[in-house]
Amino acid sequence: MKKNVFILLCMALTLGSCAGEFNKVYKSNDIDYKYEYAKEAFASGKFQQAQTLLEELITAKKGSDEAQECLYMLAMAQYCNRDYEAASVTFKKYGTSYPRGVYAENAAYYVGQALYESAPEPRLDQSPTIGAINAYQQFLDLYPDSKLRELAQERLYELQDKLILKELLSAELYYNLGGYFGNINKNDESNYTSCIITAQNALKQYPYSDHREDFALLIMKSKFELAENSTEDRRLERYRDAEDECYGFLNEYPDSKNVNIANKMINKCKKVIKD
């Protein structure tokens, strides 16, 4: 018990000593002293201390030989502190200020990486995801032979998959809502129509997606539901359209686990059209 108390006391004294030292540096007017301490703090993994000092030093060091190192180190400290939005801005600022700088290549990569880390799950707004995609693409254009090229490409594909998944979730939501907010009318104002449009646009925008069949299935099922719930004046037309969609699905995905669904829909369509 006494040993544990002694250890805790030592830790408290050490932390107090470190805090006291940092406060002394922070209040100092010696810019070079602050800069050296900031570098030491960064190297020791004390990123918050480094960030606090560097945010002041980037102005004080502007125009000096250490200016670009100071700006890049601030961006990395922000990134390591998981302040990704601020980091992406600072990395971008470095690239603008020092396009041929020592850290220009890394900074260009980390603009995308910081946005990648802050990208939300697919159901939420994907502005950071789009920003990260654009940043990675710009990095690949600027540094096609970079050692980070392969990793940037992997991140790029992963982010694109997230955008595709968002579109798929949106299309599925429209389909699941069905005609909940009103009857299907001659102007096709329904959730099934929104599902079809969302899925078709996704297929055009992402022609090589692994979710092509998922989108195609939603289109087929939505067209059939449109026919099933159609007004009399468009009923026959919509069943024919649904039948064509079912045949198109079978032609493209003959081994799909959803073949039976397509065939059942075709049989229903044929029956209605024949009658």
Side-chain angles (χ1 to χ4, degrees), residues 199-207 212:
Q200 287 177 335
N201 288 339
L203 286 173
K204 289 177 183 177
Q205 190 170 0
Y206 309 106
R212 280 190 62 84

Side-chain angles (χ1 to χ4, degrees), residues 180-248:
Y180 183 76
F181 292 112
N183 294 325
I184 298 170
N185 57 43
K186 63 181 180 181
N187 294 318
D188 278 354
E189 295 174 353
S190 76
N191 291 304
Y192 293 124
T193 306
S194 297
C195 174
I196 292 167
I197 293 171
T198 301
Q200 287 177 335
N201 288 339
L203 286 173
K204 289 177 183 177
Q205 190 170 0
Y206 309 106
Y208 304 109
S209 167
D210 292 337
H211 293 288
R212 280 190 62 84
E213 183 180 339
D214 297 322
F215 285 117
L217 178 65
L218 284 169
I219 293 170
M220 178 180 69
K221 290 166 67 176
S222 292
K223 287 193 174 185
F224 181 78
E225 291 298 334
L226 275 175
E228 287 278 270
N229 296 278
S230 180
T231 53
E232 191 61 35
D233 60 328
R234 299 200 63 182
R235 188 164 176 264
L236 196 59
E237 173 193 346
R238 283 176 170 159
Y239 271 112
R240 284 173 177 155
D241 187 29
E243 183 184 23
D244 289 342
E245 194 68 40
C246 290
Y247 279 122

Side-chain angles (χ1 to χ4, degrees), residues 95-119:
T96 302
S97 303
Y98 307 102
R100 298 183 182 278
V102 178
Y103 309 103
E105 182 179 327
N106 276 7
Y109 171 80
Y110 272 99
V111 173
Q113 182 65 17
L115 290 169
Y116 166 84
E117 294 290 356
S118 64

